[in-house]
Amino acid sequence: MKFLKITAAAAALAAVAFAGAAQAKEWTKVRMGTEGAYPPFNYIDSDGNLGGFDVEIGNALCEELKIECVWVTQDWDGIIPGLVAGKFDTIIASMSITPERQKKISFSEKYYNTPPALAVPKDSDLKGVTLEDLKGRIIGAQSSTTHSTYAEQTFTESDVRLYPTAEDYKLDLESGRIDGAVDDVMVLSQWIDEEGGDCCKILGTFKSVPEIHGEGAGIGVRKGDEDLAAMFSKAIKAIRANGKYKEINDKYFKFDVYGE
């Protein structure tokens, strides 16, 4: 009788496993959500084409996985709701892996990790990037980002103003309506190198705060699609090993943005 009970239990477990396997989704086509307004990571060029580091890495990962990629653009503020609602299957938009976001969605392992920085006008009299340095100053950041969270929580004696896109705070920084802007160092560097060099400079970088800035940028997926995240994590390791990551990295940056 004991033997029969064990056999029945084993059979039941096997049936559950089989049912789970039968229900597992076979990923042959993945809709990739991105913002398209965060150069050099993702942007829409003058011809209307989507490009940037995020996009090229995403395409390389899909090629490695032998799956079809279809790109969908979405305003940043609606990008997590869009994923949850099923408008796309992943987020690859320089989204930092943070504890707060992990309550809503799941992530692959990181595909890059760079520090935040402060850009200021060239003629700024600011000497540093500490709380005391920025006391009473107007600081801009893109809303709903780790950078806006950091600015609001850190620069408590500054006037922190939030903008829907990075382009919006850049316009106010160029025109002198704000004293500085916080964003990823590579975003600010690329802007200053290509467009904002006449008006602005990078004053310094900040030490990342893991509770705010997270563990780097990862690929977001819906809860329940952790198998898809695991596929992308494996592919990230593969393109790091086969040189494809470096090829894309070197097209945009002068050093390895993967981080430690």
Side-chain angles (χ1 to χ4, degrees):
M1 183 62 71
K2 187 175 182 181
F3 175 79
L4 291 174
K5 286 182 179 178
I6 293 172
T7 302
L13 287 171
V16 170
F18 178 81
Q23 294 172 3
K25 185 168 183 178
E26 183 179 352
W27 296 99
T28 57
K29 181 177 180 178
V30 177
R31 295 165 298 163
M32 312 280 274
T34 197
E35 183 185 12
Y38 195 61
F41 293 101
N42 58 80
Y43 56 84
I44 297 172
D45 67 20
S46 57
D47 295 323
N49 299 314
L50 190 62
F53 180 76
D54 290 333
V55 176
E56 292 203 38
I57 289 292
N59 287 336
L61 294 174
C62 287
E63 183 178 348
E64 176 67 29
L65 292 168
K66 296 179 173 57
I67 58 178
E68 180 184 356
C69 275
V70 178
W71 288 93
V72 180
T73 56
Q74 169 68 55
D75 290 345
W76 179 258
D77 285 349
I79 205 162
I80 288 180
L83 175 68
V84 174
K87 291 179 67 176
F88 32 86
D89 304 305
T90 72
I91 295 171
I92 179 162
S94 293
M95 179 169 281
S96 299
I97 306 165
T98 67
E100 187 62 30
R101 288 174 179 150
Q102 286 175 310
K103 295 175 184 177
K104 301 174 183 177
I105 64 175
S106 297
F107 285 91
S108 72
E109 295 180 8
K110 71 169 184 177
Y111 63 96
Y112 83 85
N113 191 12
T114 50
L118 181 75
V120 299
K122 274 191 169 179
D123 60 357
S124 173
D125 61 352
L126 284 168
K127 304 301 182 186
V129 298
T130 67
L131 170 65
E132 186 61 30
D133 290 322
L134 301 181
K135 183 178 179 179
R137 302 303 181 104
I138 304 172
I139 305 300
Q142 184 177 0
S143 62
S144 303
T145 65
T146 56
H147 305 297
S148 63
T149 300
Y150 178 81
E152 289 184 304
Q153 292 187 11
T154 304
F155 306 129
T156 53
E157 297 184 48
S158 302
D159 178 1
V160 177
R161 299 186 183 177
L162 305 185
Y163 296 82
T165 72
E167 296 307 312
D168 293 313
Y169 76 64
K170 290 172 186 175
L171 289 172
D172 272 9
L173 189 60
E174 286 178 316
S175 64
R177 287 189 286 269
I178 59 177
D179 298 304
V182 180
D183 209 329
D184 184 279
V185 67
M186 300 311 303
V187 170
L188 295 173
S189 296
Q190 189 263 358
W191 169 59
I192 288 171
D193 287 346
E194 296 185 4
E195 301 173 33
D198 290 338
C199 82
C200 304
K201 64 182 180 181
I202 292 177
L203 185 61
T205 59
F206 306 102
K207 183 176 176 59
S208 295
V209 178
E211 294 78 11
I212 297 176
H213 298 107
E215 307 161 17
I219 299 171
V221 301
R222 285 182 292 275
K223 293 289 187 182
D225 285 347
E226 284 77 11
D227 60 327
L228 183 58
M231 287 169 54
F232 277 109
S233 293
K234 184 177 180 180
I236 291 167
K237 288 186 174 68
I239 66 170
R240 287 284 296 171
N242 67 22
K244 187 63 179 179
Y245 185 100
K246 185 178 188 304
E247 177 186 326
I248 298 169
N249 181 100
D250 292 353
K251 179 178 175 180
Y252 291 93
F253 311 114
K254 297 177 182 178
F255 63 92
D256 186 357
V257 296
Y258 185 78
E260 297 179 359

